[in-house]
Amino acid sequence: MKIIEQRLLRGPNLYAARPCLLTVLDLEDLYEVSSRDLEGFTERLLAALPSLMAHRCSPGHYGGFVERLRDGTFMGHIVEHVALELQCQAGTPAGFGRTRRVRGQPGHYRVVCAYKDEHVVAEAFDTAVALVDALAHGGTYDVAAPLAALKRTAERHAVGTSTAAVLRAARRRRIPYFRVTEHGNLFQLGWGSRQKRLQATMTGDASNIACRIASDKQLTKALLKEAGVPVPDGTVVTTVEDAQRAARRLRGPVTVKPLDANQGKGVTTRCTTPAEVAEAFDGARKHSRSIIVERFIEGQDYRVLVAGDKVAAASLRRPPTVIGDGRRSVRELVACENENPARGKGHANVMTQIALDEHAAAQLRKQGYDFDSVLPVGVPVTLRSNANLSTGGTAEDVTDLLPEETRDTCVRAARKIGLDVAGIDLVCRDIARPLDSQSGAVIEVNAAPGIRMHQYPASGAPRDAGDAIVDAMYGDRDGRIPVIAITGTNGKTTTALMTGHCVRQAGFRTGVTTTEGIYLDGKRIVRGDCSGYWSARTVLTSPDVDFAVLETARGGILKRGLAFDRCDVAVMLNVSADHLGLDGVNTVEDLARVKGVVANSAARCVVLNAEDRYCVRMAARLRENVEVLYFALDPDNSVLLRHLDAGGRAGYLQDGVLVLADGNRHQALLRADEMPSTMNGHARYNIANGLAAAAALMASGFSHDEIARGLASFVSDGRSNPLRSNLFDVQGVTVVVDYAHNPAAYSALAQMAHGISRGRVIGVVTAPGDRRDEDLQNVGRTCALGFDEIVIYESQNRGRAEGAAAQLMLDGAFAAGAQRDLVHSRLNGREALRHGLSLCVPGDVLIFACGSSLHEVVEALRETDPVSARRIAEQAALQPA
């Protein structure tokens, strides 16, 4: 077996609403070989991965997949299940999968596996192929080493426990988020201008200055004291002698700690002798050049989490401790405790493993023990002088015990430092009493507090600290900007730009993706085909966007899935034959299913073309409570009329006027010929696009006046909407340059051209070579029937021999009955345009289907008509090629 192709579908896609890995797998010599055909295969597979027994598969019960194995199932399906199980074993569980044959390619299968981590799923799939292939050929496969490597990959890319708690809370509130870095815990929550950043538990609202203050413990103490917050007396030193002098001045036990370390690193408490101070100084010096010596506060160690303007949780922290059993040494007791599955390295688990290091040895010595001491039954020893969870401590929830005075003190401390989320460390004898009644004090303020202790306390009620942080960031908002997603076979770019223009005219900063580029607030920042995942993500991650209008094309959906989990309004313009035979999309029904991914992502409303049967069928498959708005050029369309009779909302054309129906109220919007993009009402496809845009804008809450003003001021020319019915005058001949490349588009253009022509209509036409033979023939047939005379040329051969695509279009034209003297062929686009113009006289209309850019028009005319070439370049604001 071998992998032919792989794609990470990062958002909702053709197969699922979740991220999936799509792999095209060639079974090679295992084609049509089932598990039943291979003696001992099932037993070998279950011996390698016994947990496959739990897979339900299509039978739907425990052991269902094993039943399929014994009955006989093919290798692609088996690889799917193994890849899913390996992810589960690595700690990133996934359960959805699907395997289907690739039509027309014997032995090729499309295998789809859901995933939580894309690095893990790719590695898991490779391992699954190797394992199944080896076992199917009678060999063995030791899965232990690859599985261990897979677990390391999962750990390397894992999200920290505290960050994961915040993200879970965001997900529950339907707040979208992106991981900003491949590794680490930096995330963007929300979209556009409503986005916020999160790293661990630190939000983007925390200033760099506030974080720097919190990392300077002495400055923190000074500011807190200024704010009336009780803090321990102390000073900063840089030598051991100064540390010992400072301890003598404080006249009692002291705490020695680094000035700017975190997670309890280098902290030693209750130092009473010069020797203990010196030892503590040496430990702290490993983490900072400057050391704090401060009065030791008698009592227990507490952590209070402040999120926004309130206390979210409070915990009593206990240092790591083991209790003697009269048989095992301290070393053995610690090893036993570290086997607790809740403990792990770093912050990936609920608790951290206990380290046997110099600090632990020093703490044991104070208690009269060492690592090899066997403790009497029931005798406890602590392994740390501090109680941080990151050094192995445990926590007990005490949130409900905090008096109002202590809550106010903690919130005031966080505000004084300037943090919206802060961990306030305080020490006192009894947390239920006010601090000033027992000489308690705040000893630190932490800028990125861990919240494991609150989410998963060893005892007491768990507190959803992650939700408290999200609440402080967003309140009752979901962090989303309005999103309109637009798809269809033809008209997507024009409709997206038209909609974006209306939104911008209404005062919103817009982000628009199209086949021609990405536009932020009306300015194109990226050129090229930008109708896929990454382009949409560019808009959704831009802080300068209040409203997104996203052209979402077939190719982007198939290659990466959607960049958004849901949109507010989805627009389905039309579905007709285009790009068939590619990526498993072989019929118009297949294409409708791909585009239906956008419709199914709508949260509030879907705008559908009532005159397109594929669009109409989508209404029955939408999510519950999603409104349908129809649009139609024909006011007597039966689907439209039934919808209106039921009180539905819609847009339609009545006697040349665009009308919006909102329930029982029908209101004229504007005349079609008042829209510059309709060419005095002759470009019916742009009237349809305008109706779709108007319906989407109505669904988004825009007023009729705002919609009408936007449509009346949108111009589809070479500057604002290149290659979408751009009109130029070339010595009295009207040249219409368009991106048309399929029969539906050519038919619409021909209808428009005859409407504006005072003479004949000449078509200079092409289509990409990767279309099927019958599709290229249909282009020729449609153009022969629609235009008075045609010139066929090749633009992009895409794997075909030179002249082959043009010949298929010629065959289609002649099959439609075209006269041979009215059909011409040129292999070069510039030559084709020049020849087409030579066939024209003033008053004629020439349609030039341009697959590249308006530069092609300028270059075609530069030698024969430099004046027209220069004027077109100026009108389209073209930069030198």
Side-chain angles (χ1 to χ4, degrees):
M1 287 187 287
K2 65 181 179 182
I3 294 171
I4 303 298
E5 179 187 0
Q6 274 190 334
R7 294 177 180 177
L8 286 163
L9 306 176
R10 292 187 168 94
N13 55 76
L14 184 59
Y15 309 98
R18 69 197 83 181
C20 293
L21 175 73
L22 168 64
T23 304
V24 177
L25 186 64
D26 184 353
L27 300 186
E28 297 183 305
D29 62 322
L30 293 173
Y31 176 46
E32 294 190 328
V33 176
S34 81
S35 52
R36 188 176 179 180
D37 300 328
L38 302 170
E39 185 176 351
F41 172 81
T42 298
E43 288 69 27
R44 292 194 297 275
L45 180 61
L46 291 176
L49 283 175
S51 49
L52 286 171
M53 181 64 75
H55 285 217
R56 294 173 173 267
C57 199
S58 54
H61 56 75
Y62 181 88
F65 176 59
V66 175
E67 289 179 14
R68 294 288 307 277
L69 286 170
R70 294 199 166 116
D71 290 340
T73 189
F74 292 114
M75 295 298 127
H77 181 217
I78 298 169
V79 168
E80 168 206 319
H81 276 269
V82 172
L84 290 170
E85 182 56 33
L86 288 171
Q87 291 183 79
C88 294
Q89 294 287 317
T92 57
F96 172 80
R98 177 179 294 175
T99 300
R100 297 288 185 271
R101 295 174 185 262
V102 177
R103 189 182 304 178
Q105 298 183 55
H108 287 200
Y109 282 76
R110 283 190 179 85
V111 184
V112 176
C113 294
Y115 69 84
K116 286 191 174 179
D117 186 292
E118 58 189 48
H119 302 90
V120 174
V121 69
E123 192 174 326
F125 200 93
D126 289 345
T127 302
V129 170
L131 186 154
V132 174
D133 192 68
L135 299 186
H137 286 94
T140 60
Y141 191 91
D142 184 0
V143 76
L147 186 54
L150 197 61
K151 289 179 179 178
R152 289 193 295 271
T153 299
E155 290 172 1
R156 191 163 58 251
H157 295 279
V159 177
T161 307
S162 294
T163 308
V166 180
L167 297 179
R168 275 197 306 274
R171 194 159 53 245
R172 285 195 302 270
R173 292 168 175 249
R174 303 300 301 272
I175 297 172
Y177 58 81
F178 298 110
R179 195 171 192 167
V180 177
T181 53
E182 187 172 341
H183 302 279
N185 292 316
L186 179 60
F187 286 83
Q188 173 185 316
L189 275 64
W191 287 338
S193 58
R194 297 178 185 172
Q195 68 179 270
K196 292 179 182 291
R197 297 260 172 87
L198 176 80
Q199 185 162 38
T201 58
M202 185 164 58
T203 78
D205 291 336
S207 71
N208 179 266
I209 292 176
C211 295
R212 286 177 176 271
I213 290 171
S215 68
D216 186 328
K217 294 178 174 60
Q218 188 65 15
L219 177 56
T220 296
K221 285 171 55 178
L223 291 175
L224 294 181
K225 187 174 182 179
E226 185 177 79
V229 175
V231 294
D233 294 333
T235 188
V236 177
V237 299
T238 55
T239 67
V240 66
E241 293 80 13
D242 287 344
Q244 290 167 331
R245 277 193 292 272
R248 284 196 298 272
R249 284 196 298 272
L250 291 169
R251 297 184 179 183
V254 297
T255 295
V256 180
K257 59 187 180 183
L259 177 69
D260 51 9
N262 58 11
Q263 298 176 354
K265 297 186 182 94
V267 178
T268 306
T269 61
R270 206 188 290 269
C271 298
T272 58
T273 68
E276 288 176 346
V277 171
E279 186 176 7
F281 181 90
D282 289 341
R285 193 62 182 268
K286 295 175 182 177
H287 303 282
S288 177
R289 293 180 60 85
S290 298
I291 310 301
I292 292 179
V293 180
E294 65 185 19
R295 177 172 58 87
F296 172 71
I297 305 297
E298 190 68 44
Q300 300 188 91
D301 189 338
Y302 296 92
R303 163 64 65 83
V304 178
L305 176 69
V306 173
D309 58 357
K310 55 190 174 185
V311 167
S315 295
L316 165 63
R317 300 191 294 182
R318 293 189 175 92
T321 303
V322 292
I323 300 174
D325 61 4
R327 295 182 296 104
R328 291 177 292 182
S329 67
V330 171
R331 190 187 307 276
E332 291 170 323
L333 291 169
V334 169
C336 181
E337 175 59 26
N338 282 341
E339 289 178 4
N340 182 345
R343 290 190 182 272
K345 296 179 180 178
H347 300 133
N349 286 52
V350 174
M351 294 188 292
T352 301
Q353 290 188 347
I354 301 170
L356 292 180
D357 53 14
E358 292 180 10
H359 197 131
Q363 186 66 16
L364 281 171
R365 282 196 298 273
K366 289 183 178 180
Q367 300 166 82
Y369 301 107
D370 59 30
F371 294 148
D372 296 316
S373 298
V374 176
L375 302 178
V377 176
V379 173
V381 295
T382 60
L383 281 302
R384 273 290 187 282
S385 63
N386 62 71
N388 291 65
L389 258 68
S390 56
T391 57
T394 59
E396 174 188 347
D397 179 73
V398 295
T399 307
D400 293 336
L401 299 179
L402 256 67
E404 198 61 36
E405 296 94 322
T406 303
R407 292 173 182 267
D408 291 344
T409 296
C410 291
V411 171
R412 190 164 71 255
R415 285 180 173 171
K416 182 67 175 180
I417 302 305
L419 296 171
D420 59 327
V421 176
I424 312 298
D425 291 345
L426 53 86
V427 177
C428 63
R429 291 183 176 85
D430 182 2
I431 195 63
R433 294 166 50 204
L435 295 179
D436 57 6
S437 71
Q438 53 182 320
S439 300
V442 172
I443 58 172
E444 282 187 24
V445 176
N446 299 275
I451 58 175
R452 290 183 296 167
M453 68 186 79
H454 309 302
Q455 298 279 155
Y456 313 104
S459 60
R463 305 287 172 169
D464 197 341
D467 189 72
I469 292 173
V470 173
D471 189 67
M473 296 172 74
Y474 280 105
D476 60 359
R477 302 180 304 277
D478 63 7
R480 294 173 183 265
I481 59 173
V483 174
I484 297 176
I486 298 170
T487 194
T489 301
N490 294 312
K492 297 184 296 297
T493 294
T494 297
T495 306
L497 289 173
M498 189 180 286
T499 305
H501 173 79
C502 293
V503 172
R504 191 161 64 90
Q505 291 295 105
F508 292 88
R509 294 176 298 173
T510 59
V512 182
T513 62
T514 73
T515 309
E516 290 302 312
I518 300 173
Y519 298 78
L520 294 186
D521 210 22
K523 296 178 181 177
R524 184 158 58 172
I525 64 164
V526 178
R527 293 177 183 270
D529 188 347
C530 298
S531 56
Y533 175 90
W534 290 111
S535 302
R537 182 159 166 167
T538 295
V539 167
L540 295 175
T541 57
S542 171
D544 301 320
V545 173
D546 304 321
F547 199 115
V549 180
L550 307 175
E551 177 183 341
T552 308
R554 170 209 64 92
I557 298 170
L558 291 171
K559 289 176 183 176
R560 287 288 177 265
L562 303 181
F564 45 90
D565 60 334
R566 59 188 174 97
C567 59
D568 295 280
V569 178
V571 178
M572 185 66 57
L573 295 170
N574 46 63
V575 183
S576 62
D578 197 14
H579 298 279
L580 300 183
L582 303 173
D583 299 312
V585 179
N586 299 298
T587 65
V588 181
E589 287 79 4
D590 292 340
L591 185 60
R593 281 193 290 273
V594 174
K595 295 184 181 297
V597 172
V598 178
N600 291 331
S601 75
R604 292 198 295 106
C605 176
V606 177
V607 176
L608 298 174
N609 185 345
E611 297 171 302
D612 186 298
R613 59 185 173 131
Y614 296 103
C615 292
V616 172
R617 288 175 187 170
M618 291 180 189
R621 297 192 293 269
L622 298 176
R623 285 192 271 185
E624 192 177 353
N625 299 323
V626 172
E627 181 189 10
V628 172
L629 269 74
Y630 282 110
F631 71 94
L633 292 172
D634 178 8
D636 297 321
N637 175 270
S638 59
V639 173
L640 176 74
L641 291 177
R642 284 196 301 271
H643 184 69
L644 292 173
D645 287 344
R649 297 197 289 174
Y652 60 92
L653 184 69
Q654 180 78 57
D655 299 327
V657 177
L658 278 72
V659 178
L660 287 181
D662 190 349
N664 294 320
R665 182 185 176 203
H666 295 234
Q667 181 174 332
L669 197 63
L670 77 166
R671 292 191 56 79
D673 56 16
E674 293 175 322
M675 295 171 57
S677 60
T678 68
M679 302 178 195
N680 293 317
H682 293 292
R684 289 178 63 81
Y685 50 89
N686 273 346
I687 301 175
N689 293 337
L691 284 168
L697 291 162
M698 177 172 65
S700 300
F702 290 87
S703 71
H704 288 192
D705 286 344
E706 288 173 326
I707 299 170
R709 283 198 300 271
L711 295 179
S713 58
F714 175 75
V715 178
S716 181
D717 60 15
R719 289 173 182 259
S720 63
N721 192 15
L723 302 184
R724 269 68 183 179
S725 298
N726 305 151
L727 266 67
F728 303 102
D729 178 80
V730 178
Q731 296 185 12
V733 175
T734 300
V735 175
V736 181
V737 185
D738 198 277
Y739 185 62
H741 56 277
N742 58 55
Y746 280 122
S747 178
L749 279 172
Q751 183 182 23
M752 176 275 297
H754 282 293
I756 65 173
S757 176
R758 293 182 287 110
R760 295 194 313 151
V761 176
I762 310 299
V764 179
V765 300
T766 187
D770 60 357
R771 302 311 194 256
R772 300 176 306 176
D773 289 0
E774 58 264 41
D775 296 329
L776 292 170
Q777 290 166 350
N778 281 336
V779 167
R781 184 178 298 110
T782 300
C783 292
L785 294 173
F787 300 111
D788 296 316
E789 196 163 354
I790 59 175
V791 181
I792 292 172
Y793 77 97
E794 288 192 337
S795 54
Q796 303 169 63
N797 292 340
R798 295 184 180 176
R800 289 187 183 270
E802 186 174 316
Q807 186 59 54
L808 287 166
M809 287 184 275
L810 288 168
D811 293 343
F814 295 137
Q819 298 180 35
R820 292 189 174 268
D821 60 341
L822 298 179
V823 179
H824 314 270
S825 178
R826 296 290 187 276
L827 293 182
N828 180 283
R830 296 175 187 176
E831 292 177 6
L833 177 57
R834 286 194 289 264
H835 185 71
L837 285 169
S838 73
L839 302 174
C840 296
V841 297
D844 288 349
V845 173
L846 182 144
I847 300 292
F848 178 45
C850 182
S852 55
S853 75
L854 289 171
H855 281 289
E856 190 167 4
V857 179
V858 173
E859 292 304 315
L861 298 176
R862 193 179 297 279
E863 292 183 11
T864 58
D865 188 356
V867 174
S868 295
R870 185 167 53 253
R871 186 175 65 254
I872 292 171
E874 291 172 353
Q875 289 174 354
L878 296 179
Q879 301 296 322

